[in-house]
Amino acid sequence: MAAQFGLFIISLIANTFSAFSGGGAGLLQFPALIFLGLPFAIALATHKVASVALGVGAAFRHYKERNLHLQLSLLMVVSGVPGVLLGAWGILAVPEQAAQIALGLLTIGLGIYSVCKPKLGTENLFSELTPSHAVTAGLGLFVIGILNGSLTSGTGLFVTLWLVSYLKLDYQRAVAHTLVWVGVVWNGTGAGLLGVLGQVHWSWLPALLAGSLLGGYFGAHLSIKKGSQVIKRAFETVTILVGLALLVKSF
């Protein structure tokens, strides 16, 4: 019971922070599973399954605010899911240390880029997708989907910044799309394939799912109440912390 309660608290904190800032639940949750004794592959599959509840909790809160755009939502599903499947299938072929170092440096770069752009994501300038914009946005989401399927931390942050920088959403709406479609559909797809190819530690899932579900809802509620400027600062903090954590873990 003590272990289950500890898992619940870790998951609640990680997913509340993730739902507020647009990603980064793996910063606490995934390393905690490894620290508690799970092998890398089992921890990854278990973390992915639990992360689906994050998207469900956030989706419930964001749905009431009508923050989701149908055309963009369809593009995220159609473009991202094939990338997730490809990434999850090829995870064993990628040297883990090299991948994490590259991802850590790139994630820190995301935070620094946002810091250097004071007005980035503070206003919603998104308009209807033209065919050329849809193709470019879809390719970007496909590449991020590959990372999402194969790596553990930070890829939700990539999606958030891609939506903000290329499609000109504000941080609040970008976070909403990331949490719902990356959290539920992308992570659900990756979790399903990893569950088939690997193994899930089912006995730990109830506590992790409960923490993810509640954390997703509370974090989404905070993001709606605080607005894009505060979310931007949280995003920048989380990206730099996630990147540093990945680099430390790599060495």
Side-chain angles (χ1 to χ4, degrees):
M1 289 298 294
Q4 290 286 331
F5 182 73
L7 287 170
F8 170 77
I9 294 300
I10 291 170
S11 180
L12 179 64
I13 294 172
N15 287 285
T16 298
F17 203 25
S18 176
F20 179 65
S21 60
L27 175 66
L28 292 175
Q29 185 167 277
F30 179 73
L33 298 181
I34 293 179
F35 178 76
L36 291 172
L38 292 186
F40 179 89
I42 297 177
L44 175 59
T46 305
H47 167 66
K48 286 290 187 185
V49 174
S51 295
V52 176
L54 162 65
V56 173
F60 182 74
R61 184 65 183 89
H62 279 293
Y63 177 76
K64 295 192 293 185
E65 299 295 321
R66 300 295 191 269
N67 278 335
L68 300 176
H69 185 276
L70 178 59
Q71 187 184 19
L72 177 57
S73 297
L74 291 174
L75 180 66
M76 292 182 69
V77 173
V78 172
S79 302
V81 168
V84 172
L85 289 171
L86 182 61
W89 179 76
I91 178 60
L92 296 179
V94 179
E96 181 184 340
Q97 184 181 30
Q100 288 190 345
I101 290 173
L103 183 62
L105 292 172
L106 189 55
T107 305
I108 292 172
L110 297 183
I112 294 173
Y113 176 80
S114 182
V115 169
C116 294
K117 300 281 187 178
K119 294 185 178 180
L120 183 70
T122 58
E123 295 180 311
N124 183 42
L125 302 177
F126 175 76
S127 58
E128 293 298 316
L129 289 168
T130 64
S132 61
H133 274 96
V135 170
T136 304
L139 287 174
L141 291 167
F142 174 75
V143 172
I144 300 171
I146 295 175
L147 295 175
N148 177 270
S150 58
L151 299 170
T152 58
S153 300
T155 52
L157 301 168
F158 282 56
V159 175
T160 297
L161 190 61
W162 181 240
L163 297 179
V164 168
S165 61
Y166 184 71
L167 293 179
K168 308 303 180 185
L169 275 74
D170 60 19
Y171 269 103
Q172 186 179 92
R173 288 173 177 79
V175 166
H177 285 82
T178 297
L179 291 175
V180 173
W181 301 115
V182 174
V184 178
V185 180
W186 290 26
N187 284 348
T189 301
L193 186 57
L194 287 170
V196 172
L197 297 177
Q199 183 179 349
V200 176
H201 199 69
W202 297 106
S203 64
W204 288 8
L205 271 180
L208 293 173
L209 288 172
S212 297
L213 186 66
L214 291 175
Y217 183 88
F218 291 148
H221 178 75
L222 286 173
S223 73
I224 291 168
K225 294 299 182 183
K226 296 299 183 180
S228 291
Q229 189 63 53
V230 177
I231 299 171
K232 174 179 169 65
R233 297 298 174 226
F235 173 88
E236 291 160 0
T237 301
V238 171
T239 50
I240 293 172
L241 289 176
V242 169
L244 290 172
L246 286 168
L247 293 179
V248 170
K249 184 173 179 291
S250 300
F251 295 104

